[in-house]
Amino acid sequence: MPRVAAIDCGTNSIRLLVADADPVTGELVELDRRMTIVRLGQGVDRTGRLAPEALERTFAACREYAGAIKEHGAERLRFVATSASRDAENRDEFVRGVLDILGVEPEVISGEQEAAFSFTGATKELTGRDDLARPYLVVDIGGGSTEFVVGDEQVRGARSVDIGCVRMTERHLVRDGVVVDPPGDVEIAAIRADIEAALDLAEQSVPLGEARTLVGLAGSVTTVSAIAQDLPAYDSEAIHHSRVSLDRVREITEVLLRSTHAERAAIPSMHPGRVDVIGAGALVLLSIMERIGAAEVVVSEHDILDGIAWKVAEDLQ
């Protein structure tokens, strides 16, 4: 089995996966999986540039990951960068820093490529399950963008739109550099309007109405699942392939949007880096579920990172 490494650098977090890929079983034998909140997209929606402090946080995580990759002896690394670095004027500075530390250039992929990786990562292990109707709608709610992919064995349609937990928070909930806490009805309505407009765009190229199972990915969705289960701490095994009903998602979203920073931070399963942005992320999920009439969301811990790893393994065959 080829031993591969994959890094996914998004708007809010950077993540590493080192795994052995088994093409027979369709499983990734995980050796190391880690995530660091670096907020690379800090201020990008407003300034169009990556902030120096955000770049340094990201480079510090890259140095840590370089050590882990060397320790495990991965044969090949692929580094994929998504929304924030796609939008930034000074992305060349980001590319040079990553190349110096890890020896590979980050691939600043398109939203459509991002969607395809997410679909592979989320659905490869669902093959053969008869309890989940197809086609799937895979929704990857990131910091700067959200990817929509409809498909079964093959992708039928994919679209990336610029709604994400960090982008929506910075656009509508920051006043004089401080997050509005909690937001009022006007701010929530403004986020809703942006989400609905983005869903209109997604529907132009993705047959959302054909989906029979909604699969939700990334930190906003997994955190909602952890809260729904009242977990005493974040537990990937309990979260992976859990199901959360529409009513429960609506209830959790309303609580998060009406709570203070301290109240959100006190939730046992809440990562400190998501405290300020989880309300907007949950609202994106809720809006999607309401738009397509989904009774529940199937939550996956396997996403774009796993899809990247599978692509690296295939290229080594």
Side-chain angles (χ1 to χ4, degrees):
M1 294 187 291
R3 179 162 295 180
V4 299
I7 292 177
D8 165 41
C9 185
T11 301
N12 196 44
S13 64
I14 184 170
R15 300 179 301 144
L16 167 70
L17 173 62
V18 182
D20 292 331
D22 188 337
V24 176
T25 64
E27 293 180 340
L28 288 172
V29 182
E30 184 178 310
L31 303 172
D32 197 334
R33 187 188 293 262
R34 59 183 77 183
M35 182 271 289
T36 310
I37 300 285
V38 293
R39 199 66 65 84
L40 178 62
Q42 171 192 333
V44 168
D45 192 55
R46 176 176 52 84
T47 67
R49 297 181 61 82
L50 298 168
E53 60 270 29
L55 283 168
E56 183 46 47
R57 290 192 298 266
T58 304
F59 294 154
C62 287
R63 287 188 280 270
E64 174 193 331
Y65 291 0
I69 292 165
K70 182 178 180 180
E71 178 184 344
H72 288 293
E75 297 174 50
R76 186 174 297 176
L77 163 66
R78 188 168 184 176
F79 187 117
V80 167
T82 53
S83 180
S85 51
R86 204 164 49 227
D87 299 340
E89 295 173 3
N90 60 334
R91 59 180 176 227
D92 288 348
E93 185 179 349
F94 166 69
V95 170
R96 287 194 302 271
V98 171
L99 181 60
D100 287 345
I101 296 166
L102 289 163
V104 297
E105 284 196 20
E107 300 174 54
V108 182
I109 62 173
S110 69
E112 286 67 31
Q113 288 175 299
E114 190 174 345
F117 280 137
S118 295
F119 187 80
T120 298
T123 64
K124 194 172 183 70
E125 64 186 353
L126 300 180
T127 302
R129 286 187 57 165
D130 56 10
D131 61 325
L132 298 176
R134 291 180 291 179
Y136 308 113
L137 168 59
V138 174
V139 174
D140 187 343
I141 302 173
S145 63
T146 294
E147 284 65 54
F148 297 83
V149 198
V150 168
D152 31 49
E153 285 80 8
Q154 301 294 327
V155 171
R156 299 186 187 180
R159 182 72 180 262
S160 177
V161 293
D162 285 340
I163 49 169
C165 58
V166 174
R167 192 185 298 270
M168 292 297 95
T169 299
E170 291 192 346
R171 183 178 295 174
H172 297 293
L173 302 184
V174 174
R175 298 289 181 273
D176 300 321
V178 179
V179 176
V180 176
D181 190 28
D185 291 341
V186 172
E187 289 84 7
I188 294 171
I191 296 175
R192 269 278 198 181
D194 273 6
I195 295 170
E196 294 300 329
L199 289 174
D200 290 341
L201 284 176
E203 284 191 312
Q204 291 177 8
S205 50
V206 181
L208 301 182
E210 294 181 7
R212 295 295 174 265
T213 296
L214 173 64
V215 182
L217 317 181
S220 292
V221 181
T222 57
T223 299
V224 167
S225 172
I227 296 170
Q229 297 180 68
D230 197 23
L231 296 178
Y234 193 93
D235 182 343
S236 293
E237 289 189 11
I239 291 168
H240 189 48
H241 288 172
S242 60
R243 303 185 185 196
V244 187
S245 70
L246 171 62
D247 287 344
R248 192 75 175 103
V249 170
R250 183 178 292 116
E251 176 186 349
I252 291 167
T253 301
E254 290 174 355
V255 169
L256 290 171
L257 288 172
R258 300 303 182 189
S259 61
T260 65
H261 181 280
E263 289 168 339
R264 295 190 300 276
I267 297 171
S269 56
M270 182 71 67
H271 189 287
R274 298 202 186 281
V275 174
D276 285 335
V277 299
I278 185 59
L283 186 55
V284 173
L285 174 61
L286 174 62
S287 301
I288 293 167
M289 294 181 74
E290 291 177 342
R291 172 68 71 99
I292 68 171
E296 66 176 11
V297 57
V298 178
V299 181
S300 179
E301 284 276 6
H302 295 175
D303 50 28
I304 184 174
L305 191 60
D306 302 77
I308 297 164
W310 274 116
K311 181 59 177 173
V312 177
E314 290 170 4
D315 291 344
L316 284 172
Q317 298 299 315

